[in-house]
Amino acid sequence: MVNLEVKLKDMILKNPVMTASGTFGYGEEFEDFIDISQLGGILVKGTTRHHREGNPYPRMAETPSGMLNAVGLQNKGVEYFCNNIYPRINHYDTNILVNVSGSVIEDYVETAAMINELDKIPAIELNISCPNVKEGGMAFGTSCASAASVVRAVRKVYKKHLMVKLSPNVTDIAEIAKAVEAEGADSVSLINTLLGMAIDSETRRPLLSTITGGLSGPCVKPVALRMVWQVAQAVNIPVVGLGGIMNAKDAIEFILAGATAIQIGTANFIDPQVSVKIVEGIKDYMIRHQVSDINDLIGAINLK
Ligand SMILES: Cc1cc2nc3c(=O)[nH]c(=O)nc-3n(C[C@H](O)[C@H](O)[C@H](O)COP(=O)(O)O)c2cc1C
């Protein structure tokens, strides 16, 4: 038997595999394909204080080894989540984390305060890194001062585990990570999407209505891995790694770079069973390498 259990501060994950926000709906969409209780946790869709329509279509485009999206945080708002979605999903035998997004600080604070009241939600993931909304979003995650200010305000009202999702669209992500750690973040997750664009040369038009959007998938993995490695060395709180993880081998690389847990995003669109396959693949790797405890692999990259 191998031990797959990891801890994000006081939050216990039965294994390090979680699904990434915006790519797994509310979990319900995947119930026909996998047993959700097999996962360490799920991150539900970006949730905002008010209902949001999202951006106009087209808002997804395939790119070499990845995709661009500009969904723009489409959701029915936090009140709808609390009253209608939470009662449907709170029986899942795994950690349910709500990805909280906003335009101004008060949005984050209000939304976090409402989620704080939900018994079966042990944590939120504060999204200060969305590149697809005009106001707020990524703007908060690209300077130490603004990242710190939103975390400080939310920390006052949110009493459970506070994970902060960082933007890769910065010069020094480790500095932002240190700034949010100093304001009381319990963990950081990275990376959100990289700002990108695609053009159809025949029509001479951009492929997305918003012209630019968020790049994800295998093409971002080397950037994500590098950032996870840098951040893991800079902070004392746990790091959750994501960006282009398609299989167990990718997941192990993030863990070796210093991630305590990982999230699977774009890969869910290709294979809805990929997350549980990755749990199995991690187990196989551990047996093959005679590692009995997953915690022994965290940050165990050999640099000599
Ligand atoms: C269609 C789509 C929607 C997304 N929506 C959100 C969101 O609501 N909140 C968020 O923090 N990240 C969102 N993301 C970013 C992912 O959670 C993840 O950070 C990113 O895609 C990188 O991981 P991946 O390469 O495994 O997909 C979204 C990504 C995609 C592709």
Side-chain angles (χ1 to χ4, degrees):
M1 275 296 280
V2 291
N3 176 46
L4 284 177
E5 189 177 289
V6 293
K7 266 174 127 182
L8 296 178
K9 279 221 171 148
D10 41 12
M11 183 167 53
I12 295 172
L13 275 57
K14 61 181 84 167
N15 62 63
V17 180
M18 301 197 267
T19 52
S21 178
T23 66
F24 201 68
Y26 295 107
E28 293 172 306
E29 295 84 340
F30 284 75
E31 274 177 12
D32 289 344
F33 303 100
I34 57 166
D35 171 7
I36 288 170
S37 71
Q38 303 284 306
L39 299 174
I42 65 169
L43 276 291
V44 307
K45 248 158 123 54
T47 300
T48 52
R49 185 179 182 184
H50 304 296
H51 172 103
R52 285 182 68 100
E53 286 293 329
N55 291 320
Y57 293 88
R59 53 194 196 181
M60 295 243 207
E62 268 194 61
T63 59
S65 300
M67 63 180 280
L68 280 169
N69 94 83
V71 172
L73 302 173
Q74 179 182 4
N75 79 105
K76 291 188 171 164
V78 64
E79 205 172 313
Y80 185 88
F81 174 81
C82 294
N83 296 332
N84 297 280
I85 296 164
Y86 173 71
R88 293 205 307 258
I89 64 171
N90 67 18
H91 65 279
Y92 290 153
D93 180 20
T94 190
N95 293 297
I96 305 171
L97 285 76
V98 177
N99 180 266
V100 170
S101 300
S103 302
V104 292
I105 288 185
E106 292 68 39
D107 289 348
Y108 285 97
V109 171
E110 288 287 321
T111 308
M114 287 182 72
I115 305 286
N116 191 57
E117 301 306 312
L118 305 178
D119 285 352
K120 299 278 178 61
I121 306 279
I124 57 171
E125 179 183 58
L126 208 60
N127 177 12
I128 55 169
S129 43
C130 182
N132 303 321
V133 290
K134 278 206 185 73
E135 64 299 313
M138 190 172 86
F140 285 112
T142 50
S143 90
C144 289
S146 54
S149 63
V150 64
V151 174
R152 191 181 312 130
V154 170
R155 185 72 284 182
K156 286 190 188 128
V157 300
Y158 191 71
K159 306 299 176 200
K160 296 184 248 177
H161 187 102
L162 177 56
M163 184 183 291
V164 180
K165 186 166 182 180
L166 304 180
S167 172
N169 302 303
V170 296
T171 320
D172 188 348
I173 196 166
E175 286 303 311
I176 312 268
K178 284 198 270 186
V180 302
E181 178 183 37
E183 297 297 341
D186 295 307
S187 61
V188 283
S189 54
L190 60 143
I191 58 172
N192 208 317
T193 51
L194 279 154
L195 195 58
M197 82 184 267
I199 298 173
D200 179 340
S201 58
E202 294 302 317
T203 62
R204 303 187 183 187
R205 295 187 57 78
L207 290 184
L208 296 177
S209 70
T210 48
I211 306 175
T212 61
L215 184 65
S216 62
C219 55
V220 308
K221 194 187 97 178
V223 177
L225 201 54
R226 182 263 294 178
M227 289 184 161
V228 164
W229 179 65
Q230 287 178 327
V231 169
Q233 290 172 86
V235 296
N236 293 312
I237 52 178
V239 174
V240 177
L242 73 156
I245 299 178
M246 308 305 282
N247 51 45
K249 180 179 163 296
D250 294 337
I252 294 285
E253 290 174 29
F254 276 78
I255 293 168
L256 292 173
T260 299
I262 51 104
Q263 295 179 14
I264 317 293
T266 302
N268 291 307
F269 297 130
I270 298 166
D271 175 3
Q273 296 177 325
V274 69
S275 50
V276 290
K277 287 180 184 167
I278 289 176
V279 177
E280 286 309 308
I282 292 175
K283 252 189 246 172
D284 287 349
Y285 174 92
M286 291 171 65
I287 292 166
R288 228 164 17 87
H289 287 264
Q290 295 174 337
V291 177
S292 57
D293 187 346
I294 186 82
N295 292 281
D296 293 340
L297 289 177
I298 299 169
I301 178 177
N302 185 355
L303 296 172
K304 283 186 212 116

